[in-house]
Amino acid sequence: MINNLCSLSEINVTLQKGCIFTSPQNKVRTTKYTFLSFIPKNLFEQLHRFANLYFIFLAALNFVPIVNAFQPEISIIPIVFVMSITAVKDLWEDQRRRKSDQKVNNRLCDVYDRKQKRYVERRWAEVCVGDLVRLCCNEIIPADMVLLHSSDPNGVCHIETANLDGETNLKQRQVVRDLPQGSEFVPENYSSHIECENPNNDLRRFRGFMEHPGKVRVGLHSENLLLRSCTVRNTETVIGIVVYAGHETKAMQNNSGPRYKRSKLERRLNMDVLWCVILLLLMCLIAAVGHGFWLSGLQNPIYMIPDDTHPALAAFYMFWTMIIVLQVLIPISLYVSIEIVKLGQIYFIQNDLDLYNPVLDTGVQCRALNITEDLGQIQFLFSDKTGTLTENRMLFRRCTVAGTEYPHHENGPFTSKHTPLILWLNTLSSAMRSPPRQQAAEISHILDFFLALTVCNTVVVSSPTQPRHVQMPVVRTPLRSLEEMKAMFQKLSLPRFPSSLSQNTDTPTSLTKKLFTRGRSASYFPNNSPQTPIMTLQSPTTPSGTPSYTPSTPVTPALSSGAWSEDVDDIQKAKVNSADESESDDEDEAEELLYEAESPDEAALVQAAKAYGCTLLGRSPEQVLVVVPGTGPLSIPLLHVLPFHSARKRMSVVVRHPLTGEVVVYTKGADNVIMELAEADGFSREVMERTQRNLDQYAREGLRTLCVAKKVLEEQEYEAWLKRHEYAETSIENREELLLESAERLETNLTLLGATGIVDRLQEEVPETIEALQEAGIKVWVLTGDKQETAINIAFACKLLRPTDHILMANCDSKETCEARLHELQHEIRQVTKEGVSEDDSSDCVLVIDGRTLDYTLQKELQGSFLELTCCCRSVICCRSTPLQKSQVVRLVRDKLKVMTLAIGDGANDVSMIQMADVGIGISGQEGMQAVMSSDFAISRFKFLRKLILVHGHWCYTRLANMILYFFYKNVMYVNLLFWYQFFCGFSGSTMTNSWVLIFFNLLFTSVPPIIYGVLDKDVSGETLLDLPDLYKSGQNSQAYLPSTFWMNILDAFYQSLVCFFIPYFAYTGSDIGVFSFGSPINGSALLIILLHQLIESRTVVSQSQLLSAILFLINNAVLTCVTCNSPTNPLGIETKMMSDPLYYLVCGLTTVLALLPRYYTLEQFYGSGRRTKLLKDCPPDTSLRTSVQALFSHDQ
């Protein structure tokens, strides 16, 4: 039976009596719409566009007979068409999500059927809480399950969490304690009771207990939980009981679902549309009042049909008629044009060869069609680390052993003046003279160091022929006897350090100079049987430096020349007998080993050890199988694994010495932590000082540093610790705290062995990309689930952190501590600024915060302090953050600071963050396609972000902003021509233009040029944008579309309409031309002004489109004149006659020049000079950047 404590809907499941549950089944749905909700929900989303509301209102108004201006049925076609196209696009996107859901819900798994008493296939959607599910190797877990049985004899199961947290490394899970682990699991015999916590989104925590029939309670923890969407590896069969299903699983709890995204420009557009509506209402009100006064002043005119309508009522009707006549002030074609332009922009982005990855044969995928312009306004960038900034591949580069530094070359041979460290390999496996005592000590230190790298980890060994599924290999025994090996290692027993480190200089010893090329011993010296422990490679020492042993028979610890020679002779004889047998097997075995680690640095350390002969062959919960040079496979009993914890910043393993039986603790962790825990007396102090100097050098090189240490426990000391540790392991309450305390009690008074320097290979051009983005004014945050040390080192490697930066650490255990720490950091920033360490508050301060502290800062009470602190920092690094925390951080910054955000990631753990940001970018790599499927844009490498944002983002924003302003300008300008005419026709709603021209002026004559402009125009070349990232700041500040810019265009449109109307009016005053003849030069001038206006705005010549529009206008005037459109007036021949008059061209030319002079000489020069002055001010003198800016503006002028 399962009971979820504290759950709002309590779950009770009894296998024997059937399934009774009130929680939802395992069916999941990630779509935005259902069959019933699509129309109302999609309409609601589309009505966020105020223009849609406006045109729907006008369409309805046109059905009122007394005020209609057009045929009612035709008036609804444009708005229905536009909204239908948008709805079809949204439906198509949602249908893809629906198909993905169906594919997931229809997957099959084996579920135990109580009635049939066997496992039957059942769809995932039909799985419910309390079901027993059986899974095989490489199958995906359908729901969150407690592990009850594993085919592994040790009760271990490994899972791959790439679909959940983006990591391809294996995680180990353990069967619940005290459950029988036979060859077969009998469901009928299972009658335990499970109580667990309420469903939550914490991937690293699971609390509960299992109560057996004997009322014995066993704690349940995260290592007992198999999470939905993970894949079973390294195990033939596992059986689990479902505790969370469907949307209650941790995977779904971390998925915040899709969000409808509207671009910032679209939101600004809605506001300006509202202003245009106000302007329209004002114009219609003026026309209505004027019409009323005009009718009141008439005294029975002979040209009007008698009407009893009161002038005030007629004015009211005229108000609504004028709204219909002047409706093009807000053209519905604007939204259609925006959609077309965005499609064109996406086409060129996707076909940019600079963003194409030939290795993966992929380019940019634009999955969102409505936010391309947001790429040009990004202010905050939130990035994942593993797989996004890095290749997720660690390379072992350097190490220091006992104070001596050894360079290294990518998991290969060591380099520099030091001969390779393999000297201890040859010393153990070759017949030679006894080395001096000091050199033998060096061999012993190196041996112990590499053994720690091999053993102190959680690496799983697998085979390429059977991926991630390999058993512990069988140990062969080519050695003649165990006594030979005991004698060999007893004679290698040496003091921990030589009598004086001053004798050990950085110059290689003579022995080192004579020895080795890269290679490894082809001989095995294993134990007599796989079950017989053989040995350990380093014995404990006393503080005085003399060796201390407790072997079964006394041995001499000193390593004399004679003893060494005898031992080497014995070993050489054994090698001759066994070399032929073991060499080929060793080669094949070594070539076939694959290492799967929970962290890439563990795999790098094991690979480096393997390159020099200390090879990890296999691992089980009870033992570790390794190969040491000069020996065969060694079975080392594994007593305890104390996993890495962010508070301890280290991990340890406890092993038992195979020969002496002593308990040895190997520890590796952060350098500052291990240094504090290491003994610093005697010669150890000098070793620590030299090691620290090496660590400082590694840090300056951007390497990830790790220290390795060792401790030997007395039997009584171990027994006392073990008793308290077992109590912590079996505790139900406060288990994590007790285990942490137990580990800290053990990891004291360590003996420092050495340190390593590892580089996490960054993706190419990541530092350059981040540097360019920061120069562009974008604040880069890193949100990662990795530990702080990893994130900080990667930040240094990718130049997010600089050596001169002031790092602010925030690691708190309570809300009160967190609040105090935030205030301390704010004070620290003020002090740093006051002391002149940085030029301003945000230049050199970087905040590093862990997941627990981030939880506190995301609470409402601390959000303000947290944001105030981050605004003073150049960058922020969030470590150990969950997927939900990532999305919460993005939402907090986006909503509270009102900034444009971009999130980029490659794994399923980044989905919530990607969906929450204004722009979400997924990287298609080795972590699956979850991030790509949830993103707005998908790229294959982080470096492509540079051109995507700085070039295409800038272009898309600038083009679209200018195009929208141009649409407002041209429509206000043309509508005002109709408005000015109302002053001369009694505000009757009449026009001086035939309906044919009215229909095609916006639809055809002036629609193509802005679309071509929006797709092709380049205000600045791509090369210049990459060279001058500062140019991107204009988009961040919305300089292309400011309120002042909008009103400047509106005023310019009013001015041009006045010139365009009254110059022809005064030119033809006193003549006998008709109404349409008067409108002909006005239409011609308006077209020229509007087309040339855009030509002035454009940096790329698009004159072909203007020429095409002019030709279409001439064809319309000469050929396509509508005879019956304005009955009883016949416009046939009017345009031809007017265009044969020289005055027509004089009026059009003069009108065009006078209308465009202010735009060309005042506005353009004002904005161009201001922009040039600002950029030149930002550029250092006598630099190539300054020269580029000057050349850029010289070219523009």
Side-chain angles (χ1 to χ4, degrees), residues 310-596:
H310 191 275
L313 183 60
F316 177 76
Y317 292 152
M318 183 54 60
F319 175 84
W320 298 107
T321 301
M322 289 300 298
I323 283 182
I324 298 175
V325 171
L326 302 180
Q327 64 176 303
V328 291
L329 185 66
I330 308 167
I332 194 171
S333 60
L334 172 61
Y335 287 98
V336 177
S337 300
I338 288 175
E339 297 294 335
I340 295 174
V341 165
K342 288 182 178 180
L343 288 175
Q345 291 175 346
I346 287 172
Y347 172 81
F348 284 104
I349 291 176
Q350 293 186 149
N351 288 275
D352 189 342
L353 293 179
D354 291 338
L355 304 181
Y356 172 75
N357 187 346
V359 177
L360 299 177
D361 191 25
T362 58
V364 177
Q365 300 179 40
C366 299
R367 306 179 57 82
L369 305 180
N370 57 337
I371 58 171
T372 54
E373 65 273 24
D374 280 348
L375 288 171
Q377 299 178 276
I378 302 301
Q379 295 165 287
F380 278 74
L381 187 147
F382 301 91
S383 174
D384 181 37
K385 182 193 74 67
T386 305
T388 302
L389 300 178
T390 70
E391 298 277 9
N392 200 14
R393 178 187 174 191
M394 307 294 181
L395 297 176
F396 188 94
R397 284 295 177 86
R398 306 176 77 101
C399 71
T400 174
V401 183
T404 303
E405 203 271 337
Y406 299 92
H408 192 269
H409 205 23
E410 294 194 9
N411 297 337
F414 287 88
T415 57
S416 90
K417 61 183 181 180
H418 288 282
T419 307
L421 291 179
I422 316 177
L423 72 90
W424 58 275
L425 288 149
N426 287 351
T427 302
L428 292 177
S429 58
S430 303
M432 56 184 299
R433 298 188 50 162
S434 172
R437 181 182 182 85
Q438 177 182 325
Q439 296 170 356
E442 182 181 2
I443 296 172
S444 178
H445 303 156
I446 295 172
L447 185 65
D448 214 3
F449 175 79
F450 276 99
L451 181 63
L453 297 186
T454 308
V455 175
C456 188
N457 53 67
T458 57
V459 172
V460 177
V461 185
S462 59
S463 166
T465 56
Q466 293 180 318
R468 304 187 179 190
H469 187 83
V470 63
Q471 302 296 332
M472 284 286 290
V474 178
V475 183
R476 297 179 300 276
T477 313
L479 209 75
R480 291 176 295 179
S481 70
L482 184 62
E483 294 300 323
E484 295 175 351
M485 233 183 331
K486 289 179 63 176
M488 178 184 69
F489 281 95
Q490 287 166 359
K491 294 183 179 183
L492 265 179
S493 300
L494 301 163
R496 167 55 57 198
F497 297 107
S499 57
S500 175
L501 274 173
S502 61
Q503 302 172 6
N504 187 10
T505 63
D506 287 342
T507 57
T509 62
S510 57
L511 174 67
T512 304
K513 290 180 179 179
K514 291 187 291 183
L515 297 176
F516 316 8
T517 58
R518 187 183 187 280
R520 56 187 169 83
S521 171
S523 303
Y524 279 164
F525 298 91
N527 51 339
N528 291 329
S529 67
Q531 291 76 26
T532 306
I534 303 175
M535 62 174 194
T536 55
L537 304 178
Q538 178 64 47
S539 59
T541 61
T542 61
S544 62
T546 59
S548 174
Y549 293 93
T550 56
S552 55
T553 57
V555 294
T556 303
L559 182 59
S560 63
S561 299
W564 176 276
S565 301
E566 292 175 2
D567 185 63
V568 168
D569 291 340
D570 293 339
I571 295 175
Q572 187 65 21
K573 294 177 182 178
K575 287 179 61 180
V576 172
N577 295 334
S578 60
D580 294 338
E581 175 184 350
S582 60
E583 182 172 1
S584 60
D585 292 336
D586 183 25
E587 293 289 343
D588 295 340
E589 185 176 350
E591 295 298 330
E592 292 178 358
L593 295 179
L594 295 178
Y595 295 129
E596 299 289 347

Side-chain angles (χ1 to χ4, degrees), residues 824-841:
E824 289 177 6
L825 293 177
Q826 291 176 6
H827 178 71
E828 188 174 341
I829 290 177
R830 288 191 291 268
Q831 288 297 114
V832 170
T833 307
K834 184 178 180 180
E835 294 171 2
V837 177
S838 60
E839 295 179 359
D840 54 70
D841 288 357

Side-chain angles (χ1 to χ4, degrees), residues 161-191:
T161 59
N163 291 332
L164 188 63
D165 60 10
E167 296 289 344
T168 56
N169 306 305
L170 298 186
K171 312 294 189 297
Q172 183 172 294
R173 295 296 181 262
Q174 185 75 40
V175 170
V176 179
R177 292 166 60 94
D178 298 338
L179 285 180
Q181 288 300 305
S183 59
E184 185 176 354
F185 179 80
V186 182
E188 288 82 0
N189 295 339
Y190 177 76
S191 56

Side-chain angles (χ1 to χ4, degrees), residues 876-995:
V876 177
I877 302 173
C878 301
C879 312
R880 292 294 182 186
S881 53
T882 65
L884 187 62
Q885 282 179 329
K886 292 182 179 182
S887 66
Q888 289 174 339
V889 169
V890 174
R891 180 172 58 187
L892 177 65
V893 173
R894 185 198 69 201
D895 295 343
K896 297 296 183 180
L897 299 182
K898 306 298 181 183
V899 293
M900 289 294 297
T901 58
L902 180 146
I904 179 170
D906 70 319
N909 58 325
D910 305 315
V911 168
S912 296
M913 173 179 70
I914 288 172
Q915 292 177 340
M916 188 59 64
D918 294 291
V919 179
I921 296 184
I923 292 186
S924 54
Q926 302 177 358
E927 309 294 354
M929 297 297 290
Q930 288 76 19
V932 171
M933 295 299 294
S934 303
S935 65
D936 304 310
F937 301 89
I939 57 179
S940 57
R941 308 295 285 178
F942 185 83
K943 67 176 181 179
F944 295 148
L945 199 62
R946 181 182 182 185
K947 185 173 185 181
L948 181 64
I949 292 179
L950 300 185
V951 178
H952 289 290
H954 175 86
W955 283 345
C956 289
Y957 166 71
T958 305
R959 292 165 176 171
L960 210 55
N962 290 333
M963 190 197 77
I964 292 173
L965 290 173
Y966 178 76
F967 258 94
F968 280 124
Y969 149 78
K970 75 181 183 68
N971 284 283
V972 171
M973 190 268 191
Y974 192 73
V975 165
N976 275 328
L977 297 177
L978 304 178
F979 178 70
W980 303 136
Y981 183 69
Q982 301 307 308
F983 288 89
F984 301 94
C985 67
F987 300 96
S988 60
S990 302
T991 63
M992 71 291 189
T993 304
N994 68 72
S995 299

